[in-house]
Amino acid sequence: MKRIYLVDVSSMFFRAFYAVRPLTSPAGVPVNAVYGFLSMIIKLFKDEKPDHMVFCYDRKEPSFRKEMYEDYKAHRTEMPDDLSVQIPYIKKLADLLGIPSLEVPNYEADDIIGTLTHWGRRQKMQVVIVSGDKDFGQLITDNVILYDTMKDHKYDAKGVFEKWGIRPDQFIDYLAIVGDTSDNIPGVKGVGEKGAIKLLEQFKHVEDIYENIDKVESKSVREKLIASKDNCLLSKKLVTIACDIPVSENYEDYALRPWHVEELRQLLQELNFKTFEKNLLGNGQLGFALDTSAEPPPLVKAKETAPAIAVIHPKPSPVKHGDTVVFAPSEYQEVTGTTRDVMNWLQEGQELWGFQDSRGVFIATDSHVYNVTDPELLGKITDTYKVAWKGFDLKGFWHRIGAKDPKTLWDSMLAAYVIRAGDSSDFAKIYNRFVGEALPEFATPSQLLNAHVHLSRILEHELNSHDGDKVFKELDLPLAPVLLQMEKTGIRIDRELLKKQSDALATDLQGLEKAIHTEAGEAFNVGSPKQLGVILFEKLGLPAGKKTKTGYSTDTDVLAGLEHPIAKLVLQWRELAKLKSTYVDALPEMIDPKDDRVHTSFNQALTTTGRLSSTAPNLQNIPIRTARGQEVRKAFIAAPRMKLLSADYSQIELRILAHISEDPNLCRAFAEDLDIHAATAAEIYNVPLKDVTSDLRRAAKAVNFGIAYGQGAFGLAENLGIPRGEAKEIIDRYFNRFKNVRDYIEGTVKTAHEKGYVETLFGRRRYIEELQSKNMALKKFGERAAINAPIQGTASDLVKKAMIEVSQKVPVRMLLQVHDELIFEDFEDNLKQHSAELVRIMENVAQFKVPLKVNFAIGNNWDEAH
């Protein structure tokens, strides 16, 4: 969700003046308010990383409120001279820091903030009001918060109620009653904060109070209300923030712009803000040296003769300096211009760096960085010119510029992920990890490009030394544009069906809550672990399990082990409550009004297993094993006159296990297309296949899935609800019949201990640090991960490879990837025409010792197609 920060400059500046001790510049000008305000803004940049922000100013002349009430702000004293002389510096800093500013004649900063808040809500943005003024409590609602940076506290609707005792929708009425001495707003004379809260607990708004004045319990308060009626109603008008004043509705008008670096440096020097200058701008130089030995050295400073703004050429001329080859930085220019300016020099197939930060969108050649002022057009032009992109998280960059058919050359995020799987999404962290230097907190575009170039060289070296180049170039890099298309396309959602499901779940939750309260003997908040713990372990006297810092643990494992009806009821309640809040109620909020579809984001560089994950919504965790969870899939529907096709790999991880282990019994079962769980049961229990019962098959299924995850007797016993001794006998019989699987497990664990990592069949490595732990539980976890990683990781790589080939060869729209399943959308005739080819590609994307099998179906929704 996009965010915009609206800064109440007067409030924050005034508070900074009194919060910071007196300071003067070398010229003797007071600068303490500037110092405090700049500190707050820099902290905001660091902590919040905004990309859109507006400084909202009051005007010198009176606002429209003065016409309504002559005495409005009549008691305000003149601004102290030591404060007034600092105001021009704030406006100059805003300009140099690239922060848009607004002031509107006849209106106050509050009204600008109110208008932009309402506009932001209409645009489905999150609005953050940066102020210490309580009046903004009236604007707080969903996705609107009040951020008091001085106290480092954020207020949402709940926070407003906790702080002031009234709801945000009553805040205007609260202010109308209590008045405001600083603004000379009269309110109701003699009624203070507690009286106002009590009145608003009984009546919703001021108008309700006067319509029901006879119902006010206190005679004294009633008389005060009557006597101050005109003042109260006037006060309500005065404290109401205007939300419809004339301002631009173009989102990009409020985007942060690049800093004016040299002018900013001069201003900070004028103010004698040396620490700010050093932390924000550094020394203006950035270069690096590349040693001729195998390992690249960390980033070092350029020579003193280097230009202040420099870029390292991709293929610079080396200058010999001792035993080190130093790449001399060349003259480098930053340019702000339109995308049409880029067309003047852009060539077919040109290589470009693309990156973005809170300051905007940048593209770079060997000699220039361009800050593009209209990035949406850039995607169309660079698609036409078939630009070969380099960068970090190119998929995110392509979304920003609206690219539809981009070409990939290099992505440092994906390279870092191949080298060491795990969260690789933060450029600054990846830069620090591989380069060994911290990226400047507020790096200039030229510094950022230098960092991108240097990081890419180190990662290229690491990829080669880790044999990861093939995985990077054949799987992860070509998958990025495929995922881009899927994210752009999205999938339709049936709002009405979800509304019906939500209502049904609400009814069921109410019934479960009543049943839980009956078992407990009293009403309590079922969603509160603390209150539930008191009921279970103190009132009902059930055996308490593990205890946390905040009280008794009531997690799933604890509840599952309790012999009391209330435990089962709470588990059912939690399951339905999570389904309702996480999917049934949340999915409609994620629908894009432009196309009535949800657009999930696929995370390509996050998990340690190599699998994709997804967010907003998270499609990998829909609880489809339950009947109610399966119902959610019915809400994922095809576009009008179209159908969905689901293609799902059958038993992919067990087939991979059969291939890797070369176990003859496992391979035979798949070669003959047997029910793998029934076939496993026949082997374990030594009975004919036709005599395998549902109970025997269930036990064999648990073993099959558990083996791939390194499950032992304890885990199998818990899963099947049988004694541990019986579970051990089952596992022993399994390994007697599937000896090669046992050999694979033992060999893989041994190799993992020796190398510190395991690999998929495609060469993707997973390093397992837990194997080195002295904690036995962690070490055992590492061994289980080592057993599973080659299997699960190979399955993930296989699906990625299938996605790439299908996207290149089958003309149907791919919408989703969920584990081993791919979802497509097209006209029914087209799906039927290409389904055989689609399945053929998926089943032959890699050649294993056992056949790969893909099941597919076509339907109106995901559930029908599954």
Side-chain angles (χ1 to χ4, degrees):
M1 176 180 288
K2 293 180 178 178
R3 289 183 300 169
I4 186 167
Y5 289 76
L6 309 176
V7 181
D8 177 15
V9 175
S10 298
S11 166
M12 305 311 295
F13 192 49
F14 193 81
R15 294 172 76 193
F17 177 72
Y18 289 102
V20 179
R21 63 178 176 82
L23 297 172
T24 56
S25 71
V29 179
V31 293
N32 62 321
V34 178
Y35 187 91
F37 187 82
L38 183 57
S39 298
M40 181 271 291
I41 293 298
I42 296 306
K43 185 177 187 302
L44 196 66
F45 282 152
K46 289 171 62 177
D47 295 348
E48 302 291 311
K49 296 179 175 58
D51 49 19
H52 289 73
M53 180 186 291
V54 184
F55 273 11
C56 303
Y57 294 100
D58 288 324
R59 300 271 297 185
K60 285 186 177 180
E61 69 270 15
S63 74
F64 70 94
R65 293 176 178 84
K66 191 75 171 178
E67 299 172 7
M68 296 170 54
Y69 182 49
E70 181 63 29
D71 290 333
Y72 178 67
K73 293 190 176 181
H75 297 162
R76 285 255 176 128
T77 57
E78 288 293 322
M79 183 181 294
D81 291 340
D82 284 358
L83 177 58
S84 62
V85 296
Q86 300 184 55
I87 291 178
Y89 287 111
I90 290 297
K91 293 189 174 182
K92 189 172 183 179
L93 275 170
D95 179 54
L96 298 181
L97 290 170
I99 301 171
S101 300
L102 269 182
E103 54 182 76
V104 180
N106 207 35
Y107 292 98
E108 299 176 36
D110 295 24
D111 304 314
I112 299 172
I113 290 172
T115 299
L116 289 178
T117 296
H118 277 232
W119 170 78
R121 290 186 62 206
R122 292 196 301 272
Q123 304 300 315
K124 297 192 180 300
M125 294 154 49
Q126 184 182 59
V127 180
V128 182
I129 301 170
V130 182
S131 176
D133 190 343
K134 69 178 185 299
D135 291 7
F136 290 114
Q138 63 186 275
L139 299 176
I140 307 307
T141 184
D142 294 341
N143 292 321
V144 179
I145 62 173
L146 176 61
Y147 184 18
D148 187 339
T149 55
M150 289 291 190
K151 297 180 180 178
D152 196 22
H153 192 85
K154 294 178 179 178
Y155 298 94
D156 56 9
K158 182 181 177 183
V160 168
F161 186 82
E162 291 174 349
K163 172 71 173 176
W164 290 285
I166 35 89
R167 303 189 311 270
D169 65 293
Q170 296 178 304
F171 216 94
I172 297 173
D173 304 274
Y174 169 78
L175 295 172
I177 296 171
V178 301
D180 187 337
T181 54
S182 64
D183 288 344
N184 199 34
I185 294 174
V188 177
K189 188 175 181 180
V191 178
E193 295 176 357
K194 291 183 178 178
I197 292 171
K198 188 173 181 180
L199 285 167
L200 292 173
E201 285 176 348
Q202 184 179 359
F203 305 99
K204 190 173 182 180
H205 299 297
V206 162
E207 292 78 6
D208 300 325
I209 296 174
Y210 284 107
E211 287 176 8
N212 300 276
I213 194 70
D214 293 338
K215 296 180 182 178
V216 176
E217 298 174 0
S218 170
K219 180 182 177 182
S220 172
V221 172
R222 186 163 62 246
E223 290 174 349
K224 292 173 182 176
L225 284 165
I226 294 171
S228 298
K229 181 178 180 180
D230 290 344
N231 279 342
C232 183
L233 296 177
L234 172 64
S235 296
K236 184 166 182 176
K237 292 179 181 178
L238 292 172
V239 299
T240 299
I241 295 174
C243 297
D244 57 354
I245 70 174
V247 297
S248 170
E249 296 198 0
N250 183 356
Y251 184 70
E252 292 307 320
D253 285 346
Y254 307 126
L256 291 170
R257 307 300 184 194
W259 293 359
H260 299 274
V261 177
E262 290 311 308
E263 293 175 70
L264 179 59
R265 187 186 300 279
Q266 291 173 13
L267 178 60
L268 295 176
Q269 290 173 352
E270 177 187 335
L271 298 172
N272 199 32
F273 290 173
K274 295 180 180 178
T275 302
F276 281 137
E277 181 189 0
K278 179 181 177 182
N279 292 342
L280 299 182
L281 306 178
N283 61 7
Q285 299 173 343
L286 187 69
F288 65 87
L290 184 63
D291 194 271
T292 53
S293 61
E295 291 292 331
L299 189 69
V300 298
K301 290 182 180 179
K303 295 190 296 183
E304 290 298 321
T305 56
I309 302 177
V311 68
I312 306 304
H313 282 246
K315 294 182 179 179
S317 302
V319 179
K320 196 73 178 176
H321 181 71
D323 295 327
T324 302
V325 176
V326 179
F327 288 97
S330 64
E331 189 67 33
Y332 187 75
Q333 186 175 359
E334 295 179 17
V335 181
T336 297
T338 67
T339 302
R340 298 193 185 279
D341 295 331
V342 176
M343 294 175 63
N344 294 329
W345 51 262
L346 198 61
Q347 298 179 14
E348 183 87 7
Q350 184 160 356
E351 297 180 8
L352 286 181
W353 285 94
F355 53 95
Q356 60 180 322
D357 66 1
S358 61
R359 299 284 147 182
V361 173
F362 304 91
I363 60 173
T365 64
D366 290 353
S367 58
H368 292 75
V369 162
Y370 286 80
N371 171 220
V372 182
T373 57
D374 46 358
E376 286 75 13
L377 181 60
L378 180 65
K380 297 177 183 178
I381 294 173
T382 52
D383 279 351
T384 302
Y385 281 85
K386 295 180 172 56
V387 163
W389 287 107
K390 300 176 288 185
F392 184 97
D393 185 15
L394 283 176
K395 179 161 67 69
F397 177 78
W398 293 331
H399 272 298
R400 183 67 182 83
I401 66 172
K404 292 183 177 179
D405 185 28
K407 309 302 177 187
T408 56
L409 186 62
W410 174 266
D411 191 321
S412 291
M413 180 184 77
L414 300 181
Y417 183 71
V418 171
I419 294 165
R420 177 78 66 160
D423 188 353
S424 305
S425 60
D426 188 306
F427 177 66
K429 290 180 180 178
I430 294 299
Y431 182 84
N432 180 259
R433 181 191 304 171
F434 287 95
V435 177
E437 292 280 343
L439 191 71
E441 288 182 352
F442 302 98
T444 65
S446 51
Q447 287 177 321
L448 283 174
L449 181 58
N450 270 310
H452 278 289
V453 172
H454 185 40
L455 176 63
S456 69
R457 291 182 176 175
I458 291 177
L459 292 176
E460 279 187 283
H461 175 87
E462 291 290 314
L463 272 179
N464 291 328
S465 65
H466 286 73
D467 297 323
D469 200 51
K470 187 178 177 67
V471 171
F472 174 70
K473 290 182 177 178
E474 295 184 7
L475 291 178
D476 289 13
L477 199 60
L479 183 63
V482 177
L483 296 176
L484 175 76
Q485 295 297 340
M486 294 166 65
E487 292 176 359
K488 279 179 169 288
T489 304
I491 187 169
R492 281 179 64 88
I493 296 293
D494 189 332
R495 291 175 185 266
E496 294 303 316
L497 179 60
L498 287 174
K499 178 65 170 62
K500 292 177 182 177
Q501 291 183 11
S502 179
D503 292 342
L505 285 167
T507 299
D508 291 348
L509 285 167
Q510 288 175 0
L512 283 169
E513 196 167 285
K514 287 180 181 178
I516 292 168
H517 291 165
T518 299
E519 292 291 341
E522 64 177 85
F524 69 98
N525 182 359
V526 180
S528 167
K530 187 173 183 179
Q531 292 184 33
L532 177 62
V534 172
I535 293 291
L536 295 177
F537 307 120
E538 294 182 10
K539 181 173 182 181
L540 298 180
L542 298 175
K546 51 189 176 182
K547 205 168 185 181
T548 66
K549 293 180 180 179
T550 56
Y552 300 101
S553 172
T554 60
D555 62 22
T556 300
D557 291 339
V558 171
L559 292 178
L562 296 178
E563 296 292 334
H564 194 285
I566 195 173
K568 184 177 181 181
L569 290 170
V570 171
L571 286 173
Q572 292 175 355
W573 185 91
R574 284 183 178 177
E575 177 190 325
L576 296 188
K578 182 176 181 180
L579 184 65
K580 184 176 186 294
S581 63
T582 306
Y583 294 102
V584 176
D585 290 345
L587 280 171
E589 297 297 319
M590 300 178 191
I591 296 174
D592 189 333
K594 295 177 182 177
D595 58 10
D596 286 330
R597 301 169 84 94
V598 295
H599 300 265
T600 190
S601 295
F602 290 100
N603 305 309
Q604 210 178 342
L606 187 63
T607 69
T608 57
T609 61
R611 279 189 178 272
L612 297 176
S613 66
S614 64
T615 51
N618 179 358
L619 300 175
Q620 315 292 339
N621 284 346
I622 295 178
I624 56 177
R625 293 181 182 177
T626 66
R628 299 299 285 271
Q630 287 179 348
E631 290 290 308
V632 175
R633 287 200 301 207
K634 293 180 179 178
F636 290 80
I637 59 176
R641 298 180 292 114
M642 291 190 177
K643 301 281 186 180
L644 297 182
L645 182 148
S646 167
D648 193 3
Y649 279 105
S650 172
Q651 309 293 352
I652 185 62
E653 292 192 5
L654 288 176
R655 292 174 190 269
I656 292 169
L657 176 62
H659 171 82
I660 294 176
S661 68
E662 300 184 2
D663 187 272
N665 287 331
L666 208 53
C667 289
R668 178 181 60 81
F670 283 119
E672 296 177 6
D673 198 21
L674 302 177
D675 178 332
I676 188 61
H677 302 312
T680 301
E683 293 288 345
I684 293 176
Y685 296 104
N686 196 26
V687 297
L689 187 62
K690 62 182 179 63
D691 294 336
V692 172
T693 65
S694 59
D695 286 342
L696 294 182
R697 185 184 183 280
R698 184 173 70 90
K701 182 178 181 180
V703 176
N704 275 334
F705 286 129
I707 287 296
Y709 288 88
Q711 185 182 61
F714 177 80
L716 182 62
E718 288 283 310
N719 195 356
L720 293 176
I722 60 177
R724 196 179 305 181
E726 184 179 340
K728 185 178 183 305
E729 289 178 9
I730 294 174
I731 292 176
D732 289 343
R733 287 199 298 269
Y734 178 92
F735 284 135
N736 283 333
R737 299 300 298 168
F738 301 96
K739 293 183 173 63
N740 285 24
V741 175
R742 179 184 58 201
D743 294 342
Y744 159 75
I745 290 173
E746 293 175 351
T748 299
V749 170
K750 182 175 182 293
T751 301
H753 275 289
E754 292 171 353
K755 294 183 175 181
Y757 64 86
V758 292
E759 290 183 315
T760 71
L761 293 178
F762 293 91
R764 186 186 303 276
R765 288 186 187 180
R766 178 178 175 183
Y767 288 86
I768 306 174
E769 297 175 356
E770 292 86 354
L771 293 172
Q772 310 302 320
S773 175
K774 295 180 180 179
N775 182 306
M776 188 54 65
L778 276 178
K779 182 176 289 189
K780 287 295 182 184
F781 170 83
E783 291 179 350
R784 290 194 297 273
I787 295 166
N788 175 249
I791 300 169
Q792 190 182 95
T794 296
S796 173
D797 288 344
L798 187 78
V799 173
K800 290 178 181 179
K801 189 168 172 51
M803 293 170 71
I804 295 166
E805 292 200 22
V806 167
S807 69
Q808 293 170 346
K809 299 175 181 178
V810 183
V812 293
R813 297 200 301 183
M814 184 160 34
L815 306 185
L816 302 177
Q817 181 269 2
V818 183
H819 301 307
D820 309 323
E821 180 181 8
L822 300 178
I823 313 296
F824 302 85
E825 178 187 62
D826 216 315
F827 295 104
E828 186 172 11
D829 290 345
N830 204 42
L831 290 175
K832 289 180 177 178
Q833 177 185 345
H834 295 289
S835 58
E837 175 68 2
L838 191 155
V839 170
R840 186 195 66 77
I841 290 173
M842 291 180 68
E843 289 184 342
N844 292 278
V845 74
Q847 297 303 311
F848 287 170
K849 295 180 177 68
V850 297
L852 295 179
K853 183 178 180 180
V854 172
N855 299 316
F856 80 95
I858 297 173
N860 294 309
N861 59 60
W862 186 8
D863 187 63
E864 286 184 10
H866 186 73

